Every structure is written in C-alpha cells, then in structure tokens.
Amino acid sequence: MMMKALIGVMPENEFRQRVMAIVSNEYLPEENEPKIWFSSLNAVAQILSPENLALLDMMDREKPESISQLARLAGRAVSNLSATLSTLEKHGFVKKVKGKNCMKPVALYTEFVIHTAHFPAKKASDAA
C-alpha cells in the first residue's frame, strides 16, 4: 500500500515565525500543507537515508510483529535498531503499536514528497 508523506523544508527562523503566526491565529495552514518539517534538505537526507528508506519499506512489506523480529529481518542489533526507530518515530515516519508482549513497529510512510517553502510566502511580484 502506498503511503506518501508530504515533507516541508523551511529555514528554522522562518519556521518559528510560522508557528508563532499559527498560535496567534494570524496564519491558518491549508489542508494540503506539509505536516512534517525540517530546517534543511541535509536534515531530511540524514533521516531518510538509503538504510532508513529500506527499513521503512521492509516494515511495510514484511509487517514484523516486534522490534526483535524486524532486527532479525534487517540483520541489525535490537539496540541499534531501537535507536533508529525512535528517531524515525520522533519525526513522524514510524509508530510503535503495543502488541501482546512487545512493541510492533509500523511504517507510516514509504513514499515522500518534499516541498521547500518560505514564511511568509514570497509573492511572485516580490521575486522580481
């Protein structure tokens, strides 16, 4: 099943302005705006490394019942994999679902669309 994440990239100072504008009701995000944000393309690349993309794909394809099972499938140590999963979870790409006696890792996304943005948004007339 295709699960696509919309990722936004915006300089940190502009992202802070955006958050403050949302909190103060000066800006209402549109439904189609990204929900996951990074301050640079480098930051996106660190989290969505080829290894992590393969791991997300493996979780979606194999549907492991536990982190231990995923570690065996991926050929990784549980401790190392747990750290990776925590990072992916912190950024909204993975969730851990409580199972019978363990946590089941679930990939929330396997495809990604990246938008670069500025806040406030630049008007076409400002670019000239």
Side-chain angles (χ1 to χ4, degrees):
M1 179 172 87
M2 181 180 69
M3 302 174 292
K4 193 178 291 189
L6 182 57
I7 297 170
V9 176
M10 181 181 291
E12 195 169 324
N13 62 326
E14 292 178 21
F15 184 74
R16 281 194 192 112
Q17 291 175 10
R18 180 182 182 272
V19 169
M20 295 308 294
I22 292 169
V23 168
S24 62
N25 289 323
E26 295 169 18
Y27 178 72
L28 181 64
E30 294 183 25
E31 188 64 33
N32 63 345
E33 287 187 33
K35 306 289 187 268
I36 300 170
W37 289 90
F38 288 88
S39 61
S40 70
L41 287 171
N42 284 341
V44 176
Q46 286 179 336
I47 299 301
L48 296 179
S49 65
E51 296 82 11
N52 287 348
L53 290 174
L55 189 64
L56 290 168
D57 187 54
M58 181 181 290
M59 284 189 284
D60 183 54
R61 194 178 58 251
E62 302 293 335
K63 312 273 191 268
E65 291 298 319
S66 67
I67 293 172
S68 298
Q69 184 183 11
L70 180 60
R72 284 191 301 277
L73 288 167
R76 292 177 59 178
V78 171
S79 58
N80 172 284
L81 182 64
S82 290
T84 299
L85 290 174
S86 292
T87 299
L88 289 170
E89 183 177 41
K90 180 180 95 172
H91 289 285
F93 298 120
V94 167
K95 69 178 176 180
K96 296 176 191 162
V97 178
K98 190 151 180 64
K100 293 176 184 158
N101 297 318
C102 59
M103 296 302 279
K104 176 181 178 174
V106 177
L108 298 176
Y109 304 104
T110 54
E111 292 191 13
F112 306 91
V113 175
I114 299 172
H115 288 258
T116 58
H118 287 280
F119 189 85
K122 306 273 190 267
K123 295 181 184 82
S125 59
D126 294 345

